[in-house]
Amino acid sequence: MIQKLLFVCAASLVLLSPAGGAKVAPFDGPRAAPPKLIVQLVLDQLRADYPARYGAQWTAGLRRLMTEGAHFTNARYPFAGTATCPGHASIGTGTVPAVHGMALNEWWDRQTRRRTPCTSDPDVTGMGFTKPVTSGYSARWQMAQTFAERLRASQPAGAGRVVSLSLKARSAIALAGHTGDAVVWMDPSGTFATSSAYGHPAWLAEYLKANPIERAVAESWTRARPAPAYQGTDAGIGERPPSGWTPRFPHALSNGAVADGTFYDRWQRSPLSDAYLGQMAIAAIDALGLGRSDGTDYLAVSFSALDLVGHKFGPRSHEVQDVLIRADETIGRLLDHLDATVGRANYVLALTSDHGVGEVPETPGVPGGRLPRGAVTTIIEDTLDKTWGDGTYVDHELYTEVYLTAASLTRLMKEPATLAKLKTGIEALPSVLRVMSGADMARERGSDDPMMRAVLLSYYPGRSGDLMLLLREHHTASTDAASHGTYYDYDRRVPVMLFGSPFKAGTYAVPVSPLDIPATWSRLTGVALDRPHGRSLDAAVK
């Protein structure tokens, strides 16, 4: 009952928040013919300041989007839980985690006593393209439909094909939704995979067989340009490279020309994975004739290398700069192919990110720090041992979310003084600014506190933790070099770029959100969104 009440409170706040807008009114003016193809690109972990900081190094696709497209420089997520699954689900649906339910990359399930990945689904069968896989994934936990699936359902069978590609299952699935013709991700075993929830495209199996990633097993990741072309130093302070790599280039992709788990992990953490996904997208355009049928098709590509590299090396590293240089080239090849096959006038494209990233806390001049793993659990157990007697009160600690045992949660909700004592103890930690509970979510509905409003838009009862920690600026609970997931602008602000004939080129400083992208697709196609939170980016629409 409490969880149901909290959900109603959190969901009702969605309609009140000025940070994303109210529901989108149907467009009743004259409408041009819908585009033949909608392309959604995501560069995982692309900070809003990267185009200004590193844009001079870009000469191809990213440069073209910045100069020929509409570049919104003041875009931010309205919610606080800035992670991959919440971000992609919001780009896909146009609403917030309090509505679509993908509040975290994973959450603690008290019944199974396991972490539940946001796209895990034991009721579907995983299908690998080049080798067997054991895990099944789908959008079963996504509580709102994506624009892509509503677009597909609005057209006759066979029209409106949906293709979504990524290294991460949660990225590909959250953009596509519950259905799709080709929804594909990289399995930990080293094969691209899908599941019985989606189509199993024969063209992709043929493409992967003809273009095995194992061809790169003897390669090393080297810089695309001479070292002086990069800002800063190669081996920056606080970098924490993956096992077997040093902070300095080059980075070998294998330990002995063997395609083992080490190779597949390193390959994904290199620009080669982005280039491969770009070529896979081109293969999909050709094999399915995307953009050349009677309907409107949807192609999503989420490039993951920037996130995988940024976590280990940080936002100032040569590695991050090199990933962006190569992503610029990859996107340039994709745009050239779209122009040649679909036609510049027949497709529209958006590029954004699911979240930004913080600085490496050890960076000189950055007043950062790290929350020691297990420190919060220790405080909770010690405090409640002294108050209630010896026992086990914490079920699980997941980054900045704490899940209490069912019995201790029930008792704690009846003892506000004990809850206040717990909060005070946790907030004494140097990295912790504030502690919020599920009870706070109900009590603070309609709050004017922007931080609380952002947390409410991220909160989904039963998935979010019982206690949620807001860290101080530039602090992290991660052991990686750099991370994200906070309320602060370096995590919430990302670029939004629109490209295509309906859009006026230019730089736009108006406050917007990535949630506005699906609303813009709705505006151009007339396909209504499920429960929209964003607004059409009409400032850039001709």
Side-chain angles (χ1 to χ4, degrees):
M1 188 66 181
I2 291 176
Q3 289 186 347
K4 185 176 181 180
L5 173 63
L6 294 179
F7 170 73
V8 171
C9 293
S12 66
L13 183 64
V14 172
L15 303 181
L16 303 174
S17 171
K23 289 190 174 182
V24 181
F27 178 68
D28 56 5
R31 190 189 309 278
K36 304 295 288 182
L37 174 63
I38 293 172
V39 182
Q40 177 64 66
L41 302 183
V42 179
L43 270 178
D44 198 319
Q45 206 184 104
L46 183 68
R47 275 171 55 141
D49 63 344
Y50 279 1
R53 185 190 292 193
Y54 300 132
Q57 300 171 337
W58 307 339
T59 60
L62 291 174
R63 170 57 53 186
R64 191 173 167 192
L65 296 182
M66 291 172 62
T67 57
E68 299 179 29
H71 180 194
F72 290 86
T73 59
N74 191 20
R76 64 170 50 77
Y77 283 98
F79 53 83
T82 44
T84 297
C85 199
H88 279 81
S90 296
I91 297 167
T93 64
T95 191
V96 295
V99 174
H100 63 60
M102 308 294 259
L104 302 160
N105 284 345
E106 55 184 348
W107 50 81
W108 181 249
D109 188 315
R110 286 194 177 91
Q111 277 68 45
T112 63
R113 301 203 53 75
R114 292 181 180 177
R115 291 187 180 188
T116 299
C118 65
T119 50
S120 67
D121 188 348
D123 295 330
V124 301
T125 303
M127 297 183 289
F129 287 96
T130 58
K131 61 180 73 172
V133 298
T134 57
S135 298
Y137 298 94
S138 79
R140 70 175 296 174
W141 303 114
Q142 196 155 301
M143 310 309 292
Q145 289 184 315
T146 62
F147 168 80
E149 59 186 300
R150 291 179 76 87
L151 174 70
R152 188 172 188 256
S154 71
Q155 302 178 79
R161 281 80 53 87
V162 170
V163 176
S164 187
L165 312 172
S166 183
L167 295 184
K168 300 179 182 180
R170 57 183 176 266
S171 301
I173 290 172
L175 293 174
H178 301 81
T179 61
D181 299 273
V183 183
V184 179
W185 53 87
M186 187 82 172
D187 187 78
S189 65
T191 180
F192 281 94
T194 186
S195 79
S196 55
Y198 307 104
H200 193 270
W203 64 266
L204 183 54
E206 295 173 2
Y207 175 82
L208 295 171
K209 183 178 180 180
N211 299 274
I213 63 176
E214 291 79 8
R215 285 177 179 169
V217 70
E219 295 187 24
S220 290
W221 173 17
T222 59
R223 277 176 292 226
R225 297 177 187 166
Y230 297 76
Q231 298 179 25
T233 59
D234 187 10
I237 293 174
E239 293 184 3
R240 303 184 177 189
S243 176
W245 280 1
T246 73
R248 298 184 182 278
F249 278 104
H251 302 304
L253 297 187
S254 72
N255 287 329
V258 175
D260 55 9
T262 296
F263 163 73
Y264 294 119
D265 180 71
R266 293 180 183 177
W267 180 84
Q268 293 180 72
R269 297 178 188 276
S270 78
L272 275 70
S273 61
D274 282 351
Y276 195 91
L277 278 176
Q279 287 301 126
M280 192 187 297
I282 288 173
I285 293 168
D286 293 344
L288 298 176
L290 297 181
R292 286 161 284 176
S293 67
D294 293 334
T296 298
D297 297 321
Y298 182 92
L299 169 65
V301 187
S302 178
F303 298 101
S304 306
L306 180 62
D307 181 71
L308 299 176
V309 170
H311 275 296
K312 297 299 182 182
F313 293 94
R316 305 189 188 200
S317 64
H318 281 199
E319 283 78 5
V320 158
Q321 294 174 60
D322 198 67
V323 168
L324 288 169
I325 289 171
R326 312 278 190 143
D328 171 60
E329 296 169 352
T330 293
I331 293 170
R333 288 190 291 270
L334 179 58
L335 292 179
D336 289 344
H337 192 78
L338 287 166
D339 288 348
T341 57
V342 180
R344 175 73 183 269
N346 297 322
Y347 74 92
V348 292
L349 180 148
L351 180 141
T352 190
S353 186
D354 50 350
H355 54 75
V357 67
E359 298 287 347
V360 176
E362 293 79 14
T363 301
V366 173
R370 296 183 184 273
L371 177 66
R373 185 161 292 180
V376 174
T377 293
T378 298
I379 288 174
I380 294 172
E381 296 288 3
D382 288 350
T383 301
L384 295 183
D385 279 347
K386 293 174 183 175
T387 306
W388 294 343
D390 290 346
T392 300
Y393 303 106
V394 175
D395 221 9
H396 196 70
E397 184 178 342
L398 182 60
Y399 301 108
T400 57
E401 310 269 329
V402 179
Y403 298 81
L404 303 170
T405 63
S408 59
L409 175 62
T410 300
R411 184 172 179 181
L412 198 61
M413 292 301 101
K414 298 176 181 178
E415 298 183 19
T418 305
L419 177 59
K421 185 191 300 185
L422 272 187
K423 289 183 178 181
T424 300
I426 297 169
E427 289 169 358
L429 291 167
S431 292
V432 179
L433 174 67
R434 192 170 175 182
V435 179
M436 298 181 182
S437 68
D440 295 328
M441 300 298 103
R443 185 171 55 252
E444 296 293 337
R445 180 170 62 93
S447 171
D448 291 331
D449 180 348
M451 185 175 286
M452 173 58 77
R453 292 173 75 88
V455 172
L456 277 164
L457 294 179
S458 288
Y459 180 74
Y460 197 90
R463 299 180 188 177
S464 298
D466 303 313
L467 298 176
M468 292 149 284
L469 280 57
L470 289 178
L471 302 185
R472 297 187 183 277
E473 198 166 4
H474 302 300
H475 285 247
T476 180
S478 173
T479 58
D480 283 331
S483 195
H484 49 83
T486 75
Y487 164 82
Y488 302 106
D489 265 3
Y490 51 74
D491 283 345
R492 291 171 66 199
R493 286 192 60 195
V494 297
V496 168
M497 300 180 190
L498 301 178
F499 183 82
S501 59
F503 305 119
K504 296 177 288 187
T507 301
Y508 299 80
V510 294
V512 299
S513 164
L515 282 67
D516 298 335
I517 296 174
T520 306
W521 300 150
S522 176
R523 159 87 152 79
L524 295 178
T525 62
V527 174
L529 296 176
D530 187 358
R531 281 168 280 175
H533 189 80
R535 297 166 290 194
S536 176
L537 295 168
D538 286 351
V541 177
K542 293 178 183 176

